[in-house]
Amino acid sequence: VSTQSTGNPTHVLYGHSDEVMCISLNLDLDICLSGAQDGMCLIHTLRDGRYVRRIDLHGGRAVNCVSISSCGYLVSFSADNRILNTYNVNGLLICSRSIEEKISQMQVSKCGQFLFYGNDQKSIIIKKLFNLEVCHLIPMVSNVRSLSVAYDEKFLFAGLENGHFVVVAICNR
């Protein structure tokens, strides 16, 4: 493996007809999931950039956030209709929920059972992945703009609209 970049992309992944809004990678599954303004999610392999599948997740509405679990479950959110969906990797809908908030960033837990997301309602929400029921709501002092979950899933890191960076310990999910 070379540590020097040639400046050229390794792969160019095609298939969307409009602006790509979000991506999620899963190295273990060799999958890249992308969501776009055209309402489609595309799945490509990471190693060779091969097109795998196209899934119409929101009936033509923009896909603003996506995440993929280590078990192959997909989560998507459209800000147009504020719908949060869970699918399997074949595109079969598992659960769909209308939510009041706009999601800024989301991530599925390593165990594949929980969804963490930050929103424009000054909170971080933890939901069960398969029924999208709220497990925990963690209030923040400002809207959440970015969110990351530590590898060991003991901490959440949130970047807030007011410029603060917050570290939250996760206990007893």
Side-chain angles (χ1 to χ4, degrees), residues 27-40:
L27 300 176
D28 294 333
L29 296 177
D30 188 37
I31 290 177
C32 173
L33 173 66
S34 58
Q37 191 73 30
D38 60 10
M40 295 292 165

Side-chain angles (χ1 to χ4, degrees), residues 140-159:
M140 295 283 120
V141 297
S142 183
N143 292 340
V144 178
R145 291 292 178 225
S146 59
L147 180 75
S148 185
V149 181
Y151 182 77
D152 61 5
E153 296 184 344
K154 292 183 180 179
F155 297 95
L156 289 170
F157 303 92

Side-chain angles (χ1 to χ4, degrees), residues 87-106:
Y87 292 84
N88 70 14
V89 76
N90 294 318
L92 179 66
L93 180 66
I94 295 170
C95 188
S96 182
R97 293 265 188 241
S98 178
I99 60 175
E100 294 181 20
E101 66 267 17
K102 182 179 176 186
I103 295 174
S104 56
Q105 187 79 35
M106 67 181 174

Side-chain angles (χ1 to χ4, degrees), residues 50-106:
R50 187 176 40 86
Y51 168 85
V52 176
R53 177 169 287 111
R54 175 180 165 148
I55 304 170
D56 180 4
L57 298 181
H58 291 278
R61 296 181 190 267
V63 179
N64 300 91
C65 286
V66 293
S67 187
I68 185 164
S69 78
S70 57
C71 301
Y73 293 100
L74 315 176
V75 183
S76 66
F77 171 72
S78 173
D80 291 348
N81 57 5
R82 301 208 180 200
I83 298 290
L84 182 63
N85 293 321
T86 302
Y87 292 84
N88 70 14
V89 76
N90 294 318
L92 179 66
L93 180 66
I94 295 170
C95 188
S96 182
R97 293 265 188 241
S98 178
I99 60 175
E100 294 181 20
E101 66 267 17
K102 182 179 176 186
I103 295 174
S104 56
Q105 187 79 35
M106 67 181 174

Side-chain angles (χ1 to χ4, degrees), residues 11-14 30 43-52:
H11 305 296
V12 177
L13 309 179
Y14 295 97
D30 188 37
I43 300 174
H44 289 85
T45 60
L46 288 170
R47 272 188 220 108
D48 59 10
R50 187 176 40 86
Y51 168 85
V52 176

